[in-house]
Amino acid sequence: MSTTEQDIIVVGGGMAGSALAYGLAGKGRKVTVLDAPTDTNKASRANVGLIWCQSKFLHLPDYAKWGFISARLFPALTKELEEISEHTIPVNYLGGVIPVLSAEEYASRGEYIDKLREALGEYKGCMIDRTELERKLPGIGWGPEVCGAAWCEEDGVIDPLALLRAFRVALPRVGATYRQTLVYDVQPHAGGYRVTTRDGVFDAERLVLAAGLANRRFVQFAMPDLPVYPDKGQVLLVERMPYVMPIPVLGATQTFGGTTIIGFRHEHSGHHTRVVPSDVATEGQWAIRVWPELGKKRVIRAWAGLRVMPEDKMAIYSHLPGHPKVTLVNTHSAVTMAAAHARLLADFALGGDLPETAQGMTLKRFGYDC
Ligand SMILES: Cc1cc2nc3c(=O)[nH]c(=O)nc-3n(C[C@H](O)[C@H](O)[C@H](O)COP(=O)(O)OP(=O)(O)OC[C@H]3O[C@@H](n4cnc5c(N)ncnc54)[C@H](O)[C@@H]3O)c2cc1C
């Protein structure tokens, strides 16, 4: 068994762990990321890649603001990652749309936007009519029922695997270590923390727990239960078509390679990751009403992934009760929040304060003393 002394160990190198580790390395700390594929923690490799700020969430205005803060940090981050990693990251910062299929839906989405604008003080979005939608996305033959869309100019879309790969390549180049190894256990040890892995033990003064749903197991030395549950998403992948969607459409998003990902389900079904065709058929039918061309194409793949969902749907950035040197990161939108995680969370993991907008995102809101 080997023992390695680190300033800080990040358990989990998915979207959240990689972004925060990148930020920590930028602070000159000796950081090691320990990550290995597991069956249930695949969200970072199963998502759509939306940088999505609109519709998240009227009842959580600070979380909504946090999304906008992250979106604004993205362009500089991806440019820097491309330079350091020497990998291209396909990304568009051109806004996003949610198509609507009836006058009622148009009105209710409009009301939501008005309320969001009031709650946030500022909101760069509005409802657009069909003519404006056709102007923004002229290559899509919209279905006859499409009467307009909710539009937000601060949304975007990124190739999520390219982003993850760029973090991976960049991490060692900014001084961090990435070790592919399965973590078995995390425990307090000699005033710091000991992480037991398939390849030996690693000791560190500080820890970040960013292992997705597996965080529920790793926090147990400090708290019996974590208010986070698996939220299943199922998607269909439609065969390649000419690239016509530089502005992403929520629910039927064309990838940079020309395929289209259909799906927006949120299901509460434990750790079940099977695709159930009758479930996803509803989204398939909706997508064909939005973009009838999809109905003429083949579905070439389908998959399911488990989002990491805090019980109140807001992110959790928190120290653990009684363990101020352990930082927990759990969010269901770790692609959208990646820039905020990379740029704004490192100080907190090193003992400083959370940024003002995120100060309500600790475990204190669930009654924990931390
Ligand atoms: C269908 C779907 C679509 C989505 N679309 C979007 C979107 O468009 N935009 C957006 O912002 N978000 C989206 N999400 C959510 C997003 O994918 C997640 O928020 C994000 O992936 C969570 O990242 P994470 O790093 O916290 O967790 P995970 O992705 O679960 O990563 C955890 C990491 O820890 C590792 N790990 C776990 N246990 C161990 C262990 N014992 N030892 C070693 N390593 C371990 C895992 O292998 C993994 O690499 C979507 C999710 C799904 C399922």
Side-chain angles (χ1 to χ4, degrees), residues 142-189:
W142 298 98
E145 294 167 276
V146 176
C147 54
W151 154 254
C152 177
E153 70 178 62
E154 298 202 72
D155 291 334
V157 62
I158 194 161
D159 178 334
L161 297 180
L163 176 61
L164 202 56
R165 186 185 57 212
F167 273 128
R168 287 280 163 79
V169 176
L171 280 171
R173 296 184 183 182
V174 294
T177 304
Y178 176 90
R179 284 282 296 257
Q180 184 155 348
T181 185
L182 194 64
V183 173
Y184 295 142
D185 194 24
V186 174
Q187 290 294 334
H189 175 78

Side-chain angles (χ1 to χ4, degrees), residues 136-359:
K136 286 192 188 304
L137 286 166
I140 295 183
W142 298 98
E145 294 167 276
V146 176
C147 54
W151 154 254
C152 177
E153 70 178 62
E154 298 202 72
D155 291 334
V157 62
I158 194 161
D159 178 334
L161 297 180
L163 176 61
L164 202 56
R165 186 185 57 212
F167 273 128
R168 287 280 163 79
V169 176
L171 280 171
R173 296 184 183 182
V174 294
T177 304
Y178 176 90
R179 284 282 296 257
Q180 184 155 348
T181 185
L182 194 64
V183 173
Y184 295 142
D185 194 24
V186 174
Q187 290 294 334
H189 175 78
Y193 294 89
R194 170 157 287 184
V195 181
T196 305
T197 77
R198 190 176 46 202
D199 299 306
V201 297
F202 293 78
D203 291 338
E205 187 198 342
R206 290 178 182 275
L207 271 186
V208 170
L209 296 180
L213 292 165
N215 274 354
R216 294 185 304 179
R217 179 156 63 88
F218 294 138
V219 299
Q220 282 183 5
F221 64 84
M223 52 195 291
D225 199 15
L226 188 63
V228 161
Y229 68 90
D231 173 307
K232 182 179 171 186
Q234 302 187 50
V235 298
L236 303 171
L237 188 73
V238 175
E239 69 178 307
R240 204 177 294 273
M241 292 194 270
Y243 185 66
V244 291
M245 200 188 284
I247 296 171
V249 173
L250 185 72
T253 311
Q254 195 175 31
T255 67
F256 290 90
T259 53
T260 301
I261 301 178
I262 296 174
F264 41 76
R265 292 186 77 82
H266 289 263
E267 297 166 39
H268 211 146
S269 50
H271 289 89
H272 184 298
T273 54
R274 252 186 315 137
V275 175
V276 182
S278 54
D279 290 348
V280 265
T282 321
E283 280 78 40
Q285 283 155 4
W286 174 87
I288 292 168
R289 287 167 69 199
V290 168
W291 187 9
E293 190 64 18
L294 288 171
K296 301 177 195 156
K297 303 292 168 188
R298 283 176 308 152
V299 171
I300 54 171
R301 270 185 68 201
W303 68 84
L306 299 174
R307 297 181 190 87
V308 189
M309 189 63 82
E311 268 170 19
D312 59 359
K313 298 191 163 47
M314 190 159 71
I316 302 177
Y317 308 123
S318 188
H319 299 314
L320 295 189
H323 295 271
K325 293 186 176 178
V326 181
T327 300
L328 178 79
V329 182
N330 270 131
T331 163
H332 57 86
S333 296
V335 179
T336 304
M337 304 306 177
H341 294 167
R343 299 297 203 211
L344 303 178
L345 281 191
D347 284 342
F348 178 63
L350 294 171
D353 290 332
L354 276 170
E356 200 184 332
T357 314
Q359 283 181 2

